[in-house]
Amino acid sequence: MPPPPKPGVIPLRPLNLGDILGGSFSALGRHWKQLFGMAVVAYGLAALLMGGAAAIAVAAVYDHLRHLDHVVNSTYRVVPARSDVQPVVIAGSAVVIFAMVMWLVAMALLCSAVPAVLQDAVLGRRSTFSAVWRRAWSRFPAVLGTVAVQCAALMGMTLLLVVVPMAMFLSASRHHAPSSLPLLLFALGALVLTPVGTWLWVRFGFAPAIAVLENQRPLEALRRSAHLVRGVWWRTFGILILVVMISGVIGYFVQLPLTYGGMFATMPLMLADDSTGSVALAITIFVVMYLAGMVISQFVSTTLPQLATGLLYIDQRIRREDLALALADAAGIPKEPAGPMGTW
């Protein structure tokens, strides 16, 4: 049999572990500019909006913060006024909720871009940032819906795991000494909900790619993902866990030299002169190198598992729906003519 065609990063046949790992790294290496640009846009805008929201919140409750600062630093034990504590708590909670929403939006935008890039990588096409942006933005609402449903399910289980034992603990502490029942309930809930959350993560992991590549709506994408994962859950789980571990190790070894490099680079400035300018320059150098390492590490540890998830989705469609023929046709590979019939 002739080898299967390989117009892009993977051969057009059922994929094994080496194909998925190699295809993920190849796609990241070939299209890192488009992916990194989308990550910078997504997380950069989210960071700017979160910083603006924090600044607005601080400006809104600045007087209350000053009163609380005087109370905390007072030499006398004074209970802070409720009129000062309540606005600060509300403002802080609003900032936290807004930050979670912005993180969700940024993650959804990146999840929209990865399948768009992966489609060009599999077909061997060149891609540009503008083309990836248009494709990702057109499917962003659907991907945001799928990601929001997944995050809502996981957050609901987390809140159930935390709120119920906490309510039992507070109720028991009002009447008598707290018992160990809430702690036992929390441990049992963690043992039950952690496997359930992992099962849901794998079962609906293909949904963002389906929303982009098949133009499906959120609920249809979730159902389609559950259908494709059925029967191969353990294989999908094992490969995804391996890719997550590999990307985490790569991200750690990327951030480590930049962090320590920043520390060693600032030592001569700190030892030579302790003036305000030298200290400010040393802090700036360290922060810049640390943030650079954190951004690159976060980019690798976020993008690589999504590329592997997209390749696992393509693998299941090749195995179940013979997608290899459609991919070869889309890549412009001519069909092999039928050879002469053999004889006995």
Side-chain angles (χ1 to χ4, degrees):
M1 293 293 292
K6 187 179 179 181
V9 296
I10 57 170
L12 301 185
R13 58 164 171 77
L15 306 178
N16 54 36
L17 177 60
D19 297 327
I20 293 173
L21 291 177
S24 300
F25 281 103
S26 297
L28 185 61
R30 294 184 185 183
H31 303 274
W32 70 270
K33 294 180 182 179
Q34 293 80 15
L35 291 172
F36 189 74
M38 292 296 299
V40 169
V41 171
Y43 291 107
L45 289 177
L48 289 176
L49 291 175
M50 285 188 287
I56 293 173
V58 170
V61 297
Y62 181 72
D63 294 335
H64 301 287
L65 287 173
R66 291 183 59 187
H67 293 163
L68 290 177
D69 182 65
H70 290 317
V71 170
V72 171
N73 295 326
S74 176
T75 56
Y76 302 98
R77 298 184 61 183
V78 181
V79 178
R82 183 177 181 180
S83 59
D84 290 329
V85 174
Q86 188 174 6
V88 173
V89 172
I90 293 174
S93 302
V95 171
V96 170
I97 294 174
F98 183 78
M100 294 174 64
V101 172
M102 287 297 99
W103 174 81
L104 181 67
V105 170
M107 185 175 63
L109 185 58
L110 192 59
C111 288
S112 304
V114 170
V117 170
L118 190 61
Q119 187 176 24
D120 293 332
V122 169
L123 297 178
R125 297 173 179 171
R126 297 175 61 88
S127 63
T128 60
F129 177 79
S130 59
V132 173
W133 172 263
R134 288 194 300 269
R135 178 64 172 156
W137 185 252
S138 65
R139 300 306 303 161
F140 171 70
V143 176
L144 180 61
T146 60
V147 174
V149 171
Q150 292 174 303
C151 291
L154 295 177
M155 290 181 61
M157 290 189 297
T158 304
L159 289 175
L160 182 65
L161 178 63
V162 174
V163 171
V164 174
M166 184 63 68
M168 294 181 61
F169 178 81
L170 294 176
S171 177
S173 62
R174 291 178 181 177
H175 301 88
H176 48 77
S179 63
S180 59
L181 180 60
L183 184 60
L184 179 62
L185 185 63
F186 178 82
L188 292 176
L191 290 176
V192 173
L193 294 180
T194 299
V196 173
T198 305
W199 179 75
L200 292 175
W201 169 60
V202 176
R203 183 177 176 84
F204 300 120
F206 296 165
I210 293 171
V212 175
L213 299 178
E214 298 186 22
N215 295 327
Q216 296 282 357
R217 291 181 292 182
L219 294 181
E220 285 78 3
L222 292 169
R223 284 195 289 265
R224 173 82 165 144
S225 175
H227 171 72
L228 291 176
V229 174
R230 186 179 298 121
V232 291
W233 189 94
W234 283 106
R235 178 177 184 268
T236 306
F237 169 74
I239 294 176
L240 287 180
I241 286 295
L242 178 62
V243 174
V244 168
M245 293 172 61
I246 292 174
S247 60
V249 171
I250 294 174
Y252 174 77
F253 282 105
V254 167
Q255 186 173 6
L256 191 67
L258 289 173
T259 301
Y260 283 99
M263 294 175 60
F264 291 130
T266 57
M267 283 183 180
L269 293 174
M270 301 291 290
L271 296 175
D273 188 7
D274 58 352
S275 62
T276 305
S278 298
V279 172
L281 179 61
I283 293 175
T284 302
I285 293 174
F286 174 75
V287 169
V288 168
M289 295 189 69
Y290 176 79
L291 290 178
M294 186 178 65
V295 168
I296 298 174
S297 172
Q298 185 69 22
F299 169 71
V300 173
S301 60
T302 303
T303 306
L304 198 60
Q306 294 181 23
L307 289 171
T309 303
L311 291 178
L312 282 168
Y313 155 75
I314 293 174
D315 172 59
Q316 287 306 307
R317 290 200 61 188
I318 289 175
R319 294 173 184 270
R320 301 187 182 198
E321 302 171 1
D322 205 7
L323 183 65
L325 295 177
L327 292 176
D329 185 61
I333 298 175
K335 297 181 180 179
E336 292 289 339
M341 294 294 293
T343 58
W344 287 97

